[in-house]
């Protein structure tokens, strides 16, 4: 099992990852002297697939253990689900000396992180991500929360876990759509990190889809290491951390405008394509560099289909995005792989050019 330390002075932690490592859960809990009153919140689909493994792993636990199995969806990333967790904790007499164990994808991780931040004024929690997206991205960094009204992740807290345990075996049962959702974030890291990782991802897309464990572990390692460094430098997103939104300003608008027909991972890939065209239009990259940087994007031409979208609608959705202030849309753009520009403003003509050309790839 490998380990990456997220070095934060007050609340640092390790991300453990490997093959068949879930069985070491109790060992890690004990080695860190974490609370022995365990409360597990488990994604229903994960429980159905892995209840034997989960039961066997916790079998030898001496302390108190209870589980809550919950269904997930963006609609259920809500106050109701949060209340369900609080109620179950209270009904089972859990107090502050609880360790909440979140086993599932990004939805479970985000809700549990927020439940842990708020129950009894804060309890310990750990993340066991079971999707590619949660392994490479959401389980690390401490952003937690729920959706409210029509706004995603609007209620939440920064709350770092006590540790993260990534067992790549869980990813074996993800369908292609869920894989693509995680691949969207992997593509983002490929552009943000360096040429080596970019080339590695470009040359291994098929192996990622076929869930080659060695390749998956390599991309988990690079993505977590990179995200960890960004979070260490800017935990609360006052500066550097904004780079993790590469492609996401466009992506969010694509998701909303297509009524979420375009899934998050797909939207991120189309969003990064649009961001590359915007970089070109503003003059940060030449036509030759643009073509070079689009090579990775072109690999998804047959995987993603985008209908004709209305640029004006998309721009007004972007203006309302909670990340923007005063209606000014700020973009993360690239000069090259690993060469990142933050807070770039653009005029509507240039944004329209970027949307039209970015989406055109996927007609
Ligand atoms: N906190 C952050 O920094 C951060 C970053 C990115 C995304 N997010 C959030 O993450 C969420 C998306 O997370 P996600 O993509 O993991 O989705 P998810 O949690 O909805 O899981 C996707 C689907 O996969 C199923 N599933 C989970 N593990 C499985 C497994 N091992 N085998 C088979 N099926 C499995 C789930 O039941 C669900 O149907 C969004 O709500 C997003 O806002 C948070």
């Amino acid at each position: 099992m490998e380990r990456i330390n997220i070095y934060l002075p007050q609340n640092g932690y390790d991300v453990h990852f490997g093959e068949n490592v879930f069985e070491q859960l109790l060992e890690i809990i004990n080695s860190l002297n974490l609370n022995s009153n365990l409360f597990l919140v488990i994604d229903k689909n994960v429980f159905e697939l892995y209840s034997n493994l989960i039961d066997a792993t916790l079998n030898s636990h001496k302390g108190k253990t209870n589980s809550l199995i919950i269904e997930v969806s963006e609609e259920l990333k809500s106050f109701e689900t949060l209340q369900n967790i609080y109620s179950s904790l209270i009904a089972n007499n859990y107090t502050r000396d609880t360790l909440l164990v979140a086993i599932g994808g990004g939805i479970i991780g985000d809700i549990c992180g927020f439940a842990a931040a708020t129950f009894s004024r804060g309890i310990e929690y750990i993340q066991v991500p079971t999707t590619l997206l949660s392994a490479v991205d959401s389980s690390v960094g401490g952003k937690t929360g729920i959706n409210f009204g029509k706004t995603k992740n609007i209620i939440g807290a920064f709350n770092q876990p006590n540790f993260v345990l990534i067992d790549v075996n869980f990813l074996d049962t993800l369908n292609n759509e869920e894989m693509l959702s995680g691949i969207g974030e992997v593509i983002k890291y490929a552009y943000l990190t360096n040429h080596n990782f970019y080339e590695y991802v470009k040359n291994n897309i098929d192996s990622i889809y076929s869930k080659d464990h060695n390749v998956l572990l390599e991309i988990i390692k690079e993505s977590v290491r990179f995200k960890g460094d960004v979070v260490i430098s800017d935990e609360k997103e006052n500066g550097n951390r904004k780079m993790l939104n590469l492609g996401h300003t466009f992506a969010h608008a694509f998701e909303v405008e297509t009524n979420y027909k375009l899934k998050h991972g797909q939207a991120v890939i189309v969003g990064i394509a649009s961001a590359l065209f915007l970089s070109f239009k503003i003059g940060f990259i030449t036509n030759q560099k643009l073509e070079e940087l689009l090579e990775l994007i072109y690999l998804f031409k047959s995987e993603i289909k985008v209908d004709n979208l209305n640029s004006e609608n998309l721009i007004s959705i972007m203006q309302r995005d909670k990340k923007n202030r005063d209606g000014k849309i700020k973009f993360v753009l690239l000069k090259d792989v690993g060469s990142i520009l933050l807070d770039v403003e653009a005029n509507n003509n240039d944004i329209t050019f970027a949307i039209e050309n970015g989406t055109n790839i996927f007609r």
Side-chain angles (χ1 to χ4, degrees):
M1 181 157 67
E2 290 192 70
R3 179 162 67 149
I4 291 173
N5 182 254
I6 311 298
Y7 180 78
L8 294 164
Q10 309 289 332
N11 47 1
Y13 54 98
D14 283 333
V15 179
H16 304 262
F17 56 99
E19 226 174 0
N20 296 314
V21 294
F22 182 70
E23 53 205 39
Q24 293 175 47
L25 181 77
L26 290 181
E27 228 172 275
I28 307 173
I29 291 175
N30 293 336
S31 71
L32 293 172
N33 272 326
L34 297 178
N35 286 320
S36 61
N37 295 324
L38 306 187
F39 187 81
L40 283 69
V41 179
I42 310 171
D43 178 319
K44 185 164 174 267
N45 290 330
V46 174
F47 184 73
E48 279 164 9
L49 291 160
Y50 298 99
S51 61
N52 288 346
L53 172 70
I54 296 170
D55 287 349
T57 301
L58 291 162
N59 204 10
S60 62
H61 185 55
K62 304 271 189 300
K64 172 171 167 167
T65 310
N66 277 282
S67 324
L68 179 67
I69 315 298
I70 58 176
E71 255 184 77
V72 304
S73 68
E74 282 300 328
E75 293 72 45
L76 292 172
K77 190 173 169 183
S78 62
F79 258 122
E80 286 70 29
T81 304
L82 193 63
Q83 280 175 351
N84 192 3
I85 296 175
Y86 296 145
S87 302
S88 186
L89 281 162
I90 292 165
N92 290 291
N93 300 315
Y94 281 88
T95 52
R96 191 172 287 171
D97 55 355
T98 300
L99 174 61
L100 193 66
V101 182
I103 306 178
I107 294 192
I108 290 277
D110 281 12
I111 301 178
C112 288
F114 187 56
T118 45
F119 183 74
S120 229
R121 299 197 179 86
I123 56 174
E124 294 173 345
Y125 88 106
I126 58 182
Q127 295 246 21
V128 181
T130 62
T131 61
L132 180 60
L133 181 139
S134 54
V136 297
D137 197 339
S138 66
S139 62
V140 177
K143 276 192 184 177
T144 72
I146 56 168
N147 305 329
F148 187 70
K150 288 205 157 90
T151 316
K152 267 190 72 151
N153 302 325
I154 190 74
I155 310 288
F158 284 99
N159 185 26
Q160 304 294 342
N162 290 77
F163 69 87
V164 179
L165 177 60
I166 305 171
D167 189 332
V168 75
N169 294 39
F170 281 119
L171 309 190
D172 288 344
T173 46
L174 292 173
N175 62 28
N176 269 359
E177 190 180 297
E178 294 310 335
M179 284 304 285
L180 186 56
S181 188
I183 288 170
E185 303 299 343
V186 173
I187 300 298
K188 175 185 82 180
Y189 288 116
Y191 282 102
L192 291 175
T193 50
N194 54 53
H195 285 281
N196 277 349
F197 188 52
Y198 175 85
E199 289 299 324
Y200 184 82
V201 172
K202 199 169 88 181
N203 295 328
N204 283 288
I205 295 295
D206 289 344
S207 308
I208 297 174
Y209 269 117
S210 64
K211 303 174 181 120
D212 176 318
H213 283 191
N214 289 332
V215 171
L216 288 173
L217 286 170
E218 190 60 30
I219 61 165
I220 289 168
K221 186 201 295 193
E222 282 308 311
S223 305
V224 168
R225 191 172 15 218
F226 184 80
K227 181 162 185 185
D229 285 347
V230 173
V231 170
I232 290 165
S233 71
D234 177 23
E235 186 184 356
K236 304 267 167 81
E237 199 168 315
N238 295 314
N240 230 2
R241 190 166 176 170
K242 291 181 197 165
M243 73 169 74
L244 301 176
N245 295 322
L246 174 67
H248 282 62
T249 304
F250 288 107
H252 176 66
F254 295 147
E255 285 178 89
V256 173
E257 181 65 4
T258 61
N259 242 327
Y260 295 91
K261 209 178 103 213
L262 200 63
K263 300 287 171 215
H264 183 70
Q266 300 176 324
V268 169
I269 293 172
V270 185
I272 294 173
S274 302
L276 290 173
F277 276 101
L278 189 55
S279 288
F280 165 71
K281 188 74 168 69
I282 296 179
F284 295 132
I285 54 177
T286 62
N287 194 26
Q288 192 189 349
K289 181 54 83 183
L290 172 66
E291 278 309 315
E292 185 191 315
L293 291 175
L294 285 171
E295 281 174 18
L296 178 54
I297 300 287
Y298 288 149
L299 299 179
F300 296 91
K301 267 183 176 179
S302 59
E303 224 82 40
I304 302 170
K305 286 286 162 243
V306 187
D307 299 333
N308 217 348
L309 297 176
N310 181 317
S311 301
E312 268 179 41
N313 288 355
L314 290 165
I315 291 172
S316 60
I317 295 166
M318 288 190 236
Q319 278 162 340
R320 294 197 304 265
D321 190 318
K322 71 177 187 298
K323 291 208 169 66
N324 292 315
R325 299 204 176 118
D326 316 324
K328 289 213 173 89
I329 313 172
K330 304 260 175 79
F331 295 93
V332 180
L333 298 183
L334 294 175
K335 284 169 118 173
D336 199 348
V337 170
S339 177
I340 303 148
L341 299 153
L342 299 179
D343 292 330
V344 181
E345 289 180 25
N347 65 47
N348 286 4
N349 280 345
D350 290 355
I351 301 173
T352 302
F353 172 90
I355 291 170
E356 284 175 358
N357 284 278
T359 53
N360 236 335
I361 297 174
F362 303 96
R363 287 280 148 70

